[in-house]
Amino acid sequence: MNINMEIKNLIVGQSGGPTAVINSSLYGVVSEALSQPSIGKVYGMVNGIEGFLRETVLDFEETLFSNDLEKLKTTPGAYLGSCRYKLPEDLDDPVYPVLFQKFKELSIGYFFYIGGNDSMDTVSKLSRYAEKINSDIRVIGEPKTIDNDLVMTDHTPGFGSAARYVASTVREIVIDANVYETKSVTIVEIMGRHAGWLTAASALARKSVGDNPLLIYLPETDFDEEAFLEKVKGCFEKNPNVIVCVSEGIHDKNGTFICEYDNSVGTDTFGHKMLAGCGKYLENLVRNRLCVKARSVELNVNQRCSASMMSATDQKEAILAGQFGVREALKGATGKMVSYVRTSDLPYSMTLGLEDVNLICNQEKTVPLEWISKDGSDVTDAFLAYALPLIQGTVEIPLGTDGLPDFLSRK
Amino acid sequence: MNINMEIKNLIVGQSGGPTAVINSSLYGVVSEALSQPSIGKVYGMVNGIEGFLRETVLDFEETLFSNDLEKLKTTPGAYLGSCRYKLPEDLDDPVYPVLFQKFKELSIGYFFYIGGNDSMDTVSKLSRYAEKINSDIRVIGEPKTIDNDLVMTDHTPGFGSAARYVASTVREIVIDANVYETKSVTIVEIMGRHAGWLTAASALARKSVGDNPLLIYLPETDFDEEAFLEKVKGCFEKNPNVIVCVSEGIHDKNGTFICEYDNSVGTDTFGHKMLAGCGKYLENLVRNRLCVKARSVELNVNQRCSASMMSATDQKEAILAGQFGVREALKGATGKMVSYVRTSDLPYSMTLGLEDVNLICNQEKTVPLEWISKDGSDVTDAFLAYALPLIQGTVEIPLGTDGLPDFLSRK
């Protein structure tokens, strides 16, 4: 190392929806940065780039004792808070000089942003602007999304834990449904508007072939009501209690979302259209057309914010990716996103890489059609082989004096 | 022990909705019975008394190796399956001689039924019929319900784990809501039609006074929409992200359930009334009247069927109650339900008792009004002191080769 090398500070932010391990990524970045002699202060943007513009910045050394820092690894959500702020397309917009002036005031040499497709758009724009003005700030994206829809990476931090939550929760729902003998259909609605990765993970709930969930529908294929009803009828020959897992974003062949079907939702007291998911719609459809007991379960926000089913593999990889990004930035990398490269399936192994963030932002990776059964009602073994390693390992969540998970929070 | 004592068999069944520890109660009964030299075979009724009438009976020694028997303790749901079957009020009904003939054929000396209020009704009727015909069959009820609404017991097996699930899940929902700065209201709908015990447990999610959930509404008091909206407005002064926990059974002063408000649900394609919970109704109310971001989360079946938040205290007590019941039956008890008697609050300690099942069945214990704040929007510290000991301790759930919880299932 050049001993005359100028010491610069690092700033890191979180953006988009929370996950179980977005704080593990943060831990990776912060712990590595604090250990690097050529990095000075380690700052956090509170509420992402939007908060940064209002100068809501914290100093990790002042804010977190090292003991607390460890707690980031087992705290879901986004410790720094998040935002959904899109920087202007036009790099001549006055917001850019404002941002870079603030970077200068804080002696920022390294800008880290943890997020999904939209957040990588921020990384892309800031790195291009830095190049344009010959700034030596290095801008790095750390991947994050339960949706697993980032391109150029084998998978994303957050997906493994969310998939573990889905698989485990669906296994429990199956147990609940099996208690009674009466024919019943349970629709489980799982997050994923355009990409069905998380819904596909419900297949991991099966202990053996032929187990529930008997039907799985992803947004990658068109959903046909009549074919679905026929499928359900066929399932009753195998099991009186049928579990169906659907992505929130399933749609018909015209591209209309099932959750937007005109009469699926009704209107409320105020004459406004009610918002209800496709699960509720299908529950009603099954009850009315097949005359059987039907219910729907929307897994809702706990898919992304639950620590109880955190995957140890997911957590470890998020930390490693955070640390790797800092080391690569010190070597000169900028305008890159840290990626996961799978080197072997059995036994599973992966390594970390760097990809051009401009090729990643605003793209969406969906489940390959060859991993979906021909009739669109299941996933193939290839998907299971892909996903199974990512959900492995239990993380022990420290408990507080009240006996409940002791999560870290700001202030 | 009289060495000439006739060896009789024991039969046990499960009834009503599943819980996280109903199989722990079963484990207690079965393991104790198998260890008692004066008990012969240990049978299980598959799908409760309804299944028994169709002679769906299993022999625990043949069905479960002792290794598997241990797995009952960490398997949620109802291993034996359940039913919702009410025996006729009239003890002269022909079903009773049929049942007792079957008991005779199987040399049953001990009949155990694990369930809630309705199941205790079965215990009451069978014990009264046994007395009527001078049968020496001993009939014992083992308590079970997440609703915690059985009278003459401090609490019920299943409540502690469900309460731990609610508290922990709400704590995670709070973390999820805190990620963004924009004002938002999250309505969490929790099980409990007439008794608010489980919703009250959401207060345990708070790490300190003034934390979310800021509002908690139970069915023990009348719900007033306008007062609620005013409360929410007031909450925004403390926190932009307001979490409100409500029992599914909240109702207005006329006794009308909020979930049944005419326009709350709309109609579906078939012109049938849509079923939506009070959470969805309040979400719409808040969005329309307060013009803020609103969402609702229905905790749904995982409250009762999740092993991930099983309370070690709840599990241990369920096993002890099962074992105790068997020993008391051997001593001659019949027509009784095993009860929990709290002997000390701090430190928490309890002992087991027996209560007359006729005084328990078809009753409902609600949250005492003195444990609810005057304006009906919170619970008091007395409730917290009551509930906190019941959710203590983590149970390690064994994992299968797929890395997911390895639950036991029949066949």
Side-chain angles (χ1 to χ4, degrees), chain A residues 54 181 207 272 288 407, chain B residues 54 181 207 272 288 405 407:
Chain A
R54 292 195 315 267
E181 297 172 287
K207 277 180 84 171
H272 296 161
N288 289 318
F407 300 133
Chain B
R54 291 193 318 268
E181 297 171 289
K207 277 178 86 171
H272 296 160
N288 290 316
F407 301 132

Side-chain angles (χ1 to χ4, degrees), chain A residues 161-172:
Chain A
S161 297
R164 187 175 164 90
Y165 181 90
V166 166
S168 164
T169 302
V170 169
R171 184 171 282 186
E172 291 177 333

Side-chain angles (χ1 to χ4, degrees), chain A residues 189-203:
Chain A
E189 184 185 326
I190 297 166
M191 282 181 174
R193 193 88 171 157
H194 303 294
W197 295 103
L198 212 47
T199 305
S202 67

Side-chain angles (χ1 to χ4, degrees), chain A residues 16 62 64 72 87 104 109 131 155 164 174 185 225 318 329 367 374 391:
Chain A
E62 283 171 17
L64 290 181
L72 275 179
L87 284 171
K104 201 173 167 184
E131 195 184 352
H155 57 283
R164 187 175 164 90
V174 171
V185 176
E225 265 184 29
V367 178
K374 280 221 176 64
I391 65 162

Side-chain angles (χ1 to χ4, degrees), chain A residues 6-41:
Chain A
E6 196 187 355
I7 291 188
K8 287 284 184 85
N9 301 327
L10 180 146
I11 193 160
V12 56
Q14 297 173 310
S15 176
T19 79
V21 301
I22 183 170
N23 290 329
S24 293
S25 303
L26 182 65
Y27 173 85
V29 171
V30 173
S31 61
E32 183 69 27
L34 288 172
S35 77
Q36 290 287 349
S38 55
I39 295 178
K41 297 270 186 196

